[in-house]
Amino acid sequence: MTQEPVFEESSGNVFADLGLEDASELFMRGKIGIQVLRLLSQRNLKQREISELLGIPQPEVSHLMKGEFQRFSEGKLLIFLKRLDTEINLHLRPRHASGQSAETVISL
């Protein structure tokens, strides 16, 4: 007898689906980190060159290239994007807005 596979719909955040306490932070680091990796792969740089460009030791470059984003703060990953000549805009607004609420945009 074959058992039908069980599927569960994702929330869109794999870390939340796994029940991790800091799921939204891990998800944000992952999204930023993947963008850093995309930009680095477009440049086709050696790890030594990436180390110089991002201002981190070569062993940390190795961790970054393996997708170990939990080793870096969100701030550090954003600094990497800036060093990769990326314009960053943060949109700040209340999570649960009632009526008209102000939004603040910060360009980094």
Side-chain angles (χ1 to χ4, degrees), residues 46-73:
K46 297 188 182 330
Q47 285 199 2
R48 177 185 43 78
E49 296 168 314
I50 294 171
S51 172
E52 292 172 13
L53 178 64
L54 299 183
I56 59 174
Q58 191 281 326
E60 290 298 304
V61 172
S62 180
H63 293 298
L64 178 66
M65 301 309 286
K66 291 179 193 173
E68 297 175 7
F69 306 129
Q70 75 280 4
R71 299 180 64 93
F72 304 94
S73 69

Side-chain angles (χ1 to χ4, degrees), residues 55 75 87 91 100:
E87 181 180 331
H91 294 260
Q100 288 285 8

Side-chain angles (χ1 to χ4, degrees), residues 3-15:
Q3 187 176 8
E4 288 292 318
V6 177
F7 296 96
E8 187 175 316
E9 190 170 334
S10 172
S11 68
N13 180 341
V14 67
F15 304 107

Side-chain angles (χ1 to χ4, degrees), residues 22-38:
D22 52 352
S24 48
E25 181 180 322
L26 291 168
F27 188 63
M28 182 176 8
R29 283 184 195 187
K31 286 170 57 172
I32 298 168
I34 292 206
Q35 186 60 32
V36 170
L37 291 182
R38 282 184 185 139

